[in-house]
Each structure stands twice: as structure tokens, then as C-alpha cells.
Amino acid sequence: MTATAGPKAEPVDLLSPEVVADPFGWYARLREEPLAGHGTLNLGTMMGGPDMWLATRYDDVLQVLTDPRFLTNPPADSPMADIRDGIFKRMNFPEDLIPWMANKLNSADGEEHTRLRKLVSYLLTARRVNALRPRVEKITEDLIDRMVAQSAGGAPVDLVEEFCFPLPVTVICELVGIDEEDRADWHAWGNAMATMDAPNIPPALRKCIALSRELMARRRVEPKDDLVTALVQAQAEDPSRVSDDEIVGILFSLVTAGHQTTTYLIGNSVLFLLEHPEQLARLKADPALWAQAVRELQRLGPLQFTQVRFPSEDVELGGVTIPRGAPVAPLLLAANTDPRKFPEPDKLIVDRLTVANEMHLSFGKGIHRCLGQHLAYQEAEVALHALFTRFPNLSLAVPRDELPWILRPAFTRTKTLPLNLA
């Protein structure tokens, strides 16, 4: 994880091929070599958009995530254009679909954010997620059984396609209430987003918007024990609580966030553990360590940065006064590998973090902390423990340097992960 290149005097484009291809190296250089006169900060951009301040050190990133003065949208009177919309416009994304690409739960501020978060927070509490564990275990075992059948005769299996992706997307669809006959379309949407398959994202998105509206209509006449029913019933009791468009946006936010990070976490974790056999041996000897291990594995990825923030007033950050409304990008991976917080930060140590104090910032902090963190940890713990228990001799079916990587901005994962199960 050494830098192969470094920042120049001009802002670093976080979405450039060079940075996307070597996030560990670039983020380490940005963190350890701030630009002169910029305190502990650097300057960056995304696809040639507006210049941004880059928070890279742990304490700076933590402040951006927890200080209530940092908002997810610029002040109403700020001349700063919405950076997220600008990125999609540069991708020639259909303008009518751009609003649907925002995470409705995370892109709101203040009372609006509180209102939307309360509507779904009950679904993902630690208690409710713990009650879901037997179902997660059953889905996991079914997928493993299917892989065993596919590998008859010693054929390798693509873990991403057959396990990492279907497990979390199936769980979140069941939890939210997406009917089984519609899940193939949601799978197609999730896969298009996961691989940044630009031509297929708009049609898949339009299809799922239509399916969401049809699902809401069904739940109004055929209620079930799921989130969609709860949302339409809350709307019926008080229409001001949530609109139809907001319900659709909530579904997209949960289904997208509910499978992408976990898909990447499971696949990357398998690869990490195969590359660190001494740490894997510790887990096999003491399975009680899995709950800690998934937190350490999440620290090292796959999420690189989260949404840009805007201070509602001038704010001191990293020795610099950030003007009101100026964009600040919190680089999570840089913070999670900051040696000031984590000794030997590039090293995988499965019992480094505790369940009570995980310390890493991959799920955010503060009011926008990821609602699905408990579910993601549970799925990864169940999945990894089951995989290495059923397949103690699991190994790569191709040389490490032949693995195809999806170098998607903000995320890093292998496109495929061919494994020998025996």
C-alpha cells in the first residue's frame, strides 16, 4: 500500500483513473503531505467539478462527520452548485433521473432528515436485526449448497456472482418487502450500479421506480409485515409524514446501500483473509473473533469516501478556516488508515477493534451514521464464518494478479472472485 504517485499543486481529481486505481497510495500521500498553507488539508475535485477541501486525517474526518455545522447540502443562498448533480450531468445521465440517484436518507438535513430517518430506523435496530439472524443463516446455507452443486467435479465458483451479491440483496429485499417476482429487476438495478454499467442504469432505474409505485399500491390493499406497508400506513394516517416520491426514494436508498457495501465487504474480506493466512488461522481456532474481525475488515474498505459536506458558517478545520458553504470531502479510507489512530494501519489484525468500540469511520458517525451497520456486520460475520467452515481449504482459482478489479469511484472490489472450494 505504498504511493505510486502524489498530488500536484492543483486539486486532485478523486475520480481520476490514477486515484481510483491506487486509493491506498493516493490517500496516504494526501493525508501525510498536505499542501503548503492548508493546515492538515488538501484540495481536490471530482471530474473537473468545483474545488473541494479534502479532510484526510482521522480527527479532521471525524469532525466533518459529527459537527452539526457541516450539512449535506450547501446553504440555500450559497452559489455552490450541487456537486452530486454535476457529476451525473457530466456522465450524460438523463436529467429527469438525477434526483433519484441521491440517497434520500443521507442527503437531507435538519428536521427533514430526522423525519425520514424515524420512518425507517425501527427496521434496522440491533434487536430487530438479531431476530433476523436465523433467516440470514438459512439464505447463506442455501447459497453455499448451490455453490457446492455448481462446483461438482472441481469446477471453480465465482464467489461474487454466486454468493457476495445474492446474499445481501436477498436479505434487504425481504426486509423492505419487495416481492420475490420483482427481485430480478432489483438485482439488475443493483448489478448495474455495482459495476457502473452506464447504459443499463437508466432503464433499470426507470423499471424499479415503476415497480416501487406498483408495490406501494399493492401494500395499500394487501398489507404485510414489512417496511413498505409501514410507510404507506404512516402516510394514510398523516399524509404530511411522507410522500409517494419519498417512499420510492427510501426504497432506493435502502436497497442500494443495503447490498452494495456488504457485497464488497464479503468479497474483499475473503481475499484479505486468503492473503493473511495467519489471521485466518486465528479465526478458525477461535470463531468468537469473527464479530471483531468483520469490523477490522470493514476498516480497510471497501468504502473510500462519503458524501461532500458544506459548513453552515465559517468553521475551523485542520488549522484552516473553511468558508461558509465551501465543499469538504471526508476521505474515510484515509482516516481509517491514519497511523495517528491505528498503529500499523495497513496491517490486518482481526482482534484490533472491539464490538463496543470499533473506531473506524466506514459507516460514518453522527446523525448520518449508516442505519444498516448492524445488518451489514451480521451478514458479513455469518457469511465469512460459514464459508471458511464449509470450505476450510478455500483458495483462489487464478493468480492474484489476474483478478479483474472494478475501479469504481468511492468503492473498490473484484469484478469476479473465482475460487476453488475444495
Side-chain angles (χ1 to χ4, degrees):
M1 298 180 186
T2 57
T4 58
K8 301 178 181 178
E10 66 267 18
V12 175
D13 189 342
L14 296 180
L15 305 188
S16 70
E18 296 81 9
V19 176
V20 172
D22 182 23
F24 282 101
W26 273 87
Y27 288 3
R29 182 67 65 86
L30 289 168
R31 183 186 61 235
E32 303 305 329
E33 299 180 11
L35 294 179
H38 292 75
T40 60
L41 308 181
N42 247 295
L43 291 178
T45 184
M46 293 187 187
M47 296 181 68
D51 289 356
M52 302 179 295
W53 295 95
L54 302 182
T56 56
R57 299 190 181 184
Y58 186 93
D59 289 344
D60 294 340
V61 173
L62 183 62
Q63 180 183 341
V64 174
L65 297 177
T66 58
D67 189 326
R69 295 173 294 177
F70 282 99
L71 307 177
T72 59
N73 291 287
D77 60 347
S78 171
M80 182 60 63
D82 190 300
I83 291 175
R84 290 162 299 205
D85 287 4
I87 291 173
F88 287 116
K89 288 177 181 177
R90 290 181 182 87
M91 293 171 62
N92 294 317
F93 206 80
E95 291 210 18
D96 66 304
L97 293 179
I98 289 176
W100 296 105
M101 297 300 292
N103 184 316
K104 300 295 182 182
L105 294 174
N106 284 341
S107 62
D109 291 307
E111 293 181 359
E112 181 184 9
H113 172 260
T114 301
R115 173 179 62 85
L116 294 173
R117 193 173 176 98
K118 281 184 177 179
L119 288 168
V120 300
S121 59
Y122 83 94
L123 183 75
L124 294 166
T125 61
R127 180 187 61 81
R128 191 174 177 96
V129 168
N130 287 338
L132 187 66
R133 189 180 185 104
R135 180 59 184 147
V136 174
E137 291 173 341
K138 179 63 168 61
I139 295 171
T140 299
E141 290 301 322
D142 288 347
L143 290 171
I144 287 177
D145 288 342
R146 191 172 73 179
M147 287 195 297
V148 170
Q150 291 174 340
S151 66
V157 173
D158 177 12
L159 194 73
V160 171
E161 180 66 22
E162 303 300 335
F163 188 77
C164 301
F165 181 69
L167 171 60
V169 79
T170 300
V171 171
I172 195 63
C173 281
E174 289 193 4
L175 197 60
V176 168
I178 295 172
D179 292 328
E180 189 167 355
E181 62 267 24
D182 294 337
R183 289 177 191 169
D185 291 299
W186 284 91
H187 285 206
W189 151 254
N191 195 49
M193 284 295 295
T195 59
M196 286 305 284
D197 183 3
N200 286 320
I201 290 177
L205 177 55
R206 292 189 195 279
K207 177 66 174 178
C208 288
I209 291 172
L211 289 174
S212 298
R213 298 195 187 282
E214 293 170 8
L215 178 60
M216 291 157 55
R218 285 201 300 272
R219 291 297 183 267
R220 288 187 174 108
V221 296
E222 298 176 2
K224 293 187 177 181
D225 181 21
D226 57 35
L227 176 66
V228 179
T229 299
L231 290 174
V232 298
Q233 289 179 344
Q235 184 190 59
E237 294 169 3
D238 180 1
S240 68
R241 290 186 67 187
V242 63
S243 68
D244 280 3
D245 282 355
E246 286 174 334
I247 292 176
V248 176
I250 287 171
L251 295 185
F252 272 95
S253 297
L254 290 176
V255 173
T256 302
H259 81 267
Q260 282 189 343
T261 302
T262 311
T263 293
Y264 306 156
L265 172 59
I266 295 171
N268 288 3
S269 294
V270 169
L271 188 57
F272 266 128
L273 290 168
L274 291 177
E275 293 179 328
H276 294 81
E278 76 291 347
Q279 295 297 308
L280 179 57
R282 294 184 64 193
L283 292 167
K284 290 179 178 179
D286 184 3
L289 289 177
W290 276 111
Q292 289 177 255
V294 294
R295 285 154 173 81
E296 169 74 345
L297 290 160
Q298 179 71 10
R299 178 183 71 84
L300 292 170
L303 191 59
Q304 298 174 21
F305 55 82
T306 188
Q307 58 192 350
V308 173
R309 303 297 210 275
F310 305 87
S312 59
E313 60 185 67
D314 291 358
V315 175
E316 291 293 321
L317 176 70
V320 178
T321 298
I322 306 297
R324 175 179 181 272
V328 181
L331 304 190
L332 304 180
L333 185 60
N336 286 341
T337 51
D338 187 342
R340 299 161 189 80
K341 184 69 174 180
F342 303 99
E344 299 183 283
D346 295 343
K347 187 176 180 181
L348 177 68
I349 304 174
V350 293
D351 60 349
R352 179 197 299 266
L353 307 180
T354 68
V355 173
N357 183 19
E358 60 198 35
M359 296 190 295
H360 71 72
L361 303 179
S362 294
F363 287 120
K365 292 286 185 181
I367 63 171
H368 287 288
R369 184 177 176 85
C370 177
L371 280 168
Q373 61 176 321
H374 301 300
L375 184 60
Y377 280 144
Q378 178 181 276
E379 289 177 351
E381 179 187 345
V382 169
L384 294 169
H385 186 195
L387 275 173
F388 285 104
T389 299
R390 288 283 294 271
F391 311 118
N393 297 317
L394 197 67
S395 63
L396 284 176
V398 298
R400 172 66 168 77
D401 58 7
E402 291 183 11
L403 288 174
W405 288 82
I406 291 179
L407 302 177
R408 179 188 170 186
F411 292 99
T412 301
R413 76 165 175 89
T414 59
K415 184 176 182 179
T416 62
L417 189 58
L419 297 177
N420 296 314
L421 302 185

